[in-house]
Amino acid sequence: MTDVPYREWLDRAARLDPHTGHHIDGAFRDGGATAPVVSPRDGAVIARVASAGSAEVDAAVAAARRAFDTGPWPRLAPAERKAALLRWADLVERDRETLALLVSLEMGKPVGEAHGIELRAVIGCLRWYAEAADKQPDEAPRTAQGSLALVTREPAGVVAAVVPWNFPLTMAAWKIAPALAAGCTVVLKPAEESPLSALHLAALAAEAGLPPGAFNVVNGPGEVAGRALGEHPGVDVLAFTGSTEVGRHFLRYAAASNLKRVWLELGGKSPNIILPDAPDLDAAADTAAWGIFFNAGEMCTAPSRLLVHRSVASRVVDRVVARAESLRVGDPLDPATEMGPLVSAAHHARVLAHIDAARASGARLRTGGPDTGTADGPYLSPTVFDQVTPDMPIAREEVFGPVLAVLEFDDLDEAITLANGTDYGLAAAVWTSDLSTAHRASRALRAGTVWVNCYEEGDMSVPFGGVKQSGHGRDKSLHALDKYTDLKTTWIEL
Ligand code: NAD
């Protein structure tokens, strides 16, 4: 944790002088139009960044292409790539407070969480894949006498990573680190809302000695810069984290261009099932509240559907409501703040529309909602609806905000049917003291991750991703390296 006081964060924010160009071929470069970066904490324009058209995207892909086809990065010994990634991680650690401030200002999460959670994840991710870089053996399967087969993992080429704003650096690191460790070169396109932290990361990559073109950043609107990367013939792999709707676009872009492989990490509507034999019902309720309100609910894995057994529903929901009402919503630079604003006024309006639709469909508003938000900016109070039925939009659609839908059930089979009854399959949780119930539920739940008696737990060593319309790629763990490598067979007649 950082112990920088509120006043000092405000001073640092006032003195901020962020990078604003694209980072291409090892250097910052302006050009093209510019776009404002608006902080949701007070609506202030904190910078204007270069905004790419197709010329800048072409330049970034060309730099990554050169770096891959003829540059040193893919040709370095894996131990040398490891050393460069470790140097980069050390520089991120050195600038951790600056990066946390940039993240907090651009997307609104409390600065302490940016520092303690987001930056810890980024530094850990860079170091983990750095260490993995020189520890992956190739294979020599047994073949007939007189021949030798080698199965080697080759870097897959130029990787374009298009990421969202909710964990702007973590989502980027989960793609950049394994791709670079595997020997690929990378073009990152951050979300329009959160380019500044990504540009600082790029400056540190250059300082760490990554060769020009190995890691590039282009800013710009999704429909222009994201689309240009999706359609670009010079991109071999497109790694995307974002909404299911935009994920569909990337499959179309690939189909219409060079059939690049597309990895999708998409949205969710994750169920959190509380059974009456949960080891500690109060802890289950507290975790349910923490899970949906953490990061203002702007979490792909947020437990946005609380499925609670009817016999314990009122006890659990009363406690969740009490937790919601005790949360401190406010300025993300104030270390006392527990929940900052939503990312933007446009997103705030989308979340309010979900709240209106929930009310109109007959769900009961227990706390929060549009009338109780704090003053200026896209702030919203933690919101809880109960008496939700599975046909209501609030039970099916991703809100991506601090809005909980509570549904009740009578037995485990009904809970599983409810849990699996959406288009999504990112994560799920079950709270029970019975080992068999936990295993039966885990097998039956269609989700990439199932938590038992906890939520949001994880480690770099375990894969993360979804099924159904939550996508199919896996970030984190050694499995993520598969996305950025091709298997090559070399057959030798002896
Ligand atoms: P988004 O899909 O609107 O945008 C994500 C990225 O795609 C941004 O960089 C954006 O500029 C770009 N983009 C937007 N439209 C595009 C287009 N037409 N063509 C090409 N690129 C385009 O998502 P968001 O609002 O930034 O983030 C919220 C979404 O991300 C939620 O659905 C959330 O669940 C999801 N998410 C998923 C994960 C996961 O790991 N599964 C993690 C975090 C967020």
Side-chain angles (χ1 to χ4, degrees), residues 307-394:
L307 311 186
V308 58
H309 193 273
R310 205 173 303 282
S311 65
V312 293
S314 64
R315 171 176 167 187
V316 168
V317 179
D318 285 352
R319 191 168 170 108
V320 170
V321 168
R323 298 285 300 163
E325 290 173 349
S326 73
L327 272 181
R328 269 183 81 147
V329 180
D331 183 355
L333 296 190
D334 181 348
T337 292
E338 293 171 293
M339 197 175 99
L342 301 187
V343 68
S344 65
H347 187 55
H348 190 253
R350 280 195 293 273
V351 174
L352 289 186
H354 282 287
I355 290 175
D356 286 347
R359 283 171 132 172
S361 65
R364 180 170 68 167
L365 182 65
R366 288 290 303 272
T367 188
D371 306 326
T372 50
T374 50
D376 341 296
Y379 292 85
L380 184 73
S381 290
T383 298
V384 178
F385 283 100
D386 66 2
Q387 299 182 357
V388 174
T389 54
D391 51 305
M392 292 179 183
I394 197 67

Side-chain angles (χ1 to χ4, degrees), residues 217-400:
V217 178
V218 284
N219 322 302
E223 302 74 27
V224 180
R227 178 175 183 158
L229 287 168
E231 293 179 339
H232 209 292
V235 172
D236 299 297
V237 178
L238 194 301
F240 174 69
T241 296
S243 61
T244 297
E245 185 193 344
V246 175
R248 283 183 217 288
H249 287 313
F250 277 106
L251 293 176
R252 287 193 203 100
Y253 301 153
S257 57
N258 62 344
L259 293 179
K260 61 179 65 63
R261 96 189 60 161
V262 175
W263 297 109
L264 300 177
E265 313 283 346
L266 308 176
K269 189 75 187 177
S270 299
N272 183 21
I273 302 172
I274 300 185
L275 291 160
D277 69 340
D280 180 341
L281 278 174
D282 288 346
D286 291 349
T287 305
W290 172 82
I292 184 61
F293 304 130
F294 170 60
N295 212 46
E298 294 165 335
M299 293 283 291
C300 53
T301 46
S304 52
R305 289 184 297 150
L306 174 58
L307 311 186
V308 58
H309 193 273
R310 205 173 303 282
S311 65
V312 293
S314 64
R315 171 176 167 187
V316 168
V317 179
D318 285 352
R319 191 168 170 108
V320 170
V321 168
R323 298 285 300 163
E325 290 173 349
S326 73
L327 272 181
R328 269 183 81 147
V329 180
D331 183 355
L333 296 190
D334 181 348
T337 292
E338 293 171 293
M339 197 175 99
L342 301 187
V343 68
S344 65
H347 187 55
H348 190 253
R350 280 195 293 273
V351 174
L352 289 186
H354 282 287
I355 290 175
D356 286 347
R359 283 171 132 172
S361 65
R364 180 170 68 167
L365 182 65
R366 288 290 303 272
T367 188
D371 306 326
T372 50
T374 50
D376 341 296
Y379 292 85
L380 184 73
S381 290
T383 298
V384 178
F385 283 100
D386 66 2
Q387 299 182 357
V388 174
T389 54
D391 51 305
M392 292 179 183
I394 197 67
R396 320 184 70 77
E397 295 170 1
E398 184 181 44
V399 175
F400 219 57

Side-chain angles (χ1 to χ4, degrees), residues 88 160 248 358 401 403 433 437 490:
W88 194 11
R248 283 183 217 288
V403 181
S433 298
T437 303
T490 303

